[in-house]
Amino acid sequence: MLPSVVSSVPLNLSGTTIRERHRIEITSDGIRVWGTPEAVHRGLTTLRRLVTARAVDSAASLDRLRIPDAPRFARRGLSPDVARIAHEVETVRRVIDLLSLHKLNVLHLHLTDDQGWRVEVPGWPLLTEIGGAGARGDRPGDHYSTEDVSSLVQYADERFATLTPEIDMPGHASAVFRSYPTRHTPSSSNAPSTPSWGGGGGGGGGGDPAGVRDEE
């Protein structure tokens, strides 16, 4: 009989978490991981950490065991504040890698606030040219193009993570008003739509980027 590591998480789960339910078995014949593609990804992450913990001189010896496991929570995430302190695309990719290593599955990007507007909105270039020029303190600004957004969504999806954008409206909109001062007053409904965030993203929705409505 193989010794089992008993998970504290009940395995009679439903919904999102059941997709991540997996089992690892280490025997003298080899290692097997069962589950959906997402579940196998989580299992291999556990295996990677086991190997790292037992590694000596670039080799690792693992005990014979069986591990059934599943997450307790369907959404497990991290929220980098790129609005106040801008970070390059490569840094965000590194954060996604760390999410995957720790079995987190949501990257909540805080993209807009008083300190900066960090995402391109076609037809409203000043949002990033002016609104995205600075950051907290004397730090430099930056922004993500629509191509950057698409690449990050794909990068996260390949690691079974979802990018969720946060667009702060109608409050925390100083970066918008610096870019388009006339948006302080009621105006026409000819407003931009925020870019699509693909299959996982949540999305900031369309409408006026400054959150200004005619009925104010």
Side-chain angles (χ1 to χ4, degrees):
M1 291 286 294
L2 286 175
S4 292
V5 176
V6 179
S7 172
S8 61
V9 180
L11 295 185
N12 56 338
L13 302 170
S14 61
T16 303
T17 53
I18 202 168
R19 295 202 310 264
E20 299 181 79
R21 185 174 62 185
H22 57 274
R23 185 167 59 139
I24 304 168
E25 189 174 278
I26 303 174
T27 70
S28 56
D29 295 326
I31 299 172
R32 298 177 67 188
V33 181
W34 289 270
T36 67
E38 184 173 2
V40 169
H41 177 78
R42 305 297 179 211
L44 291 176
T45 300
T46 297
L47 191 60
R48 173 185 176 184
R49 295 173 70 173
L50 285 173
V51 169
T52 300
R54 300 294 296 271
V56 177
D57 296 330
S58 301
S61 177
L62 301 180
D63 297 329
R64 297 169 62 248
L65 52 79
R66 181 182 294 114
I67 305 173
D69 204 5
R72 184 180 298 276
F73 302 105
R75 291 175 61 85
R76 310 172 304 281
L78 181 68
S79 181
D81 192 351
V82 298
R84 292 183 173 89
I85 301 175
H87 291 286
E88 298 177 348
V89 171
E90 285 305 317
T91 300
V92 179
R93 287 198 179 102
R94 176 58 180 152
V95 171
I96 294 170
D97 289 338
L98 292 173
L99 251 69
S100 179
L101 179 62
H102 292 281
K103 302 184 185 179
L104 304 180
N105 63 355
V106 176
L107 183 66
H108 179 124
L109 281 182
H110 183 205
L111 290 167
T112 70
D113 212 301
D114 293 333
Q115 292 80 4
W117 184 282
R118 303 296 175 214
V119 60
E120 177 187 7
V121 180
W124 296 78
L126 298 185
L127 286 175
T128 49
E129 291 177 18
I130 296 176
R136 171 173 282 178
D138 58 355
R139 296 178 177 88
D142 201 353
H143 73 276
Y144 306 114
S145 68
T146 54
E147 290 79 12
D148 292 334
V149 168
S150 295
S151 70
L152 287 172
V153 168
Q154 180 178 354
Y155 193 84
D157 187 64
E158 291 168 354
R159 289 153 183 79
F160 299 97
T162 296
L163 256 67
T164 300
E166 179 184 341
I167 309 292
D168 280 0
M169 291 294 156
H172 301 185
S174 296
V176 177
F177 296 143
R178 290 196 303 272
S179 306
Y180 293 96
T182 59
R183 304 308 292 177
H184 274 291
T185 59
S187 59
S188 71
S189 60
N190 182 23
S193 298
T194 52
S196 170
W197 286 79
D208 188 340
V212 179
R213 302 181 184 276
D214 292 341
E215 63 266 27
E216 288 184 336

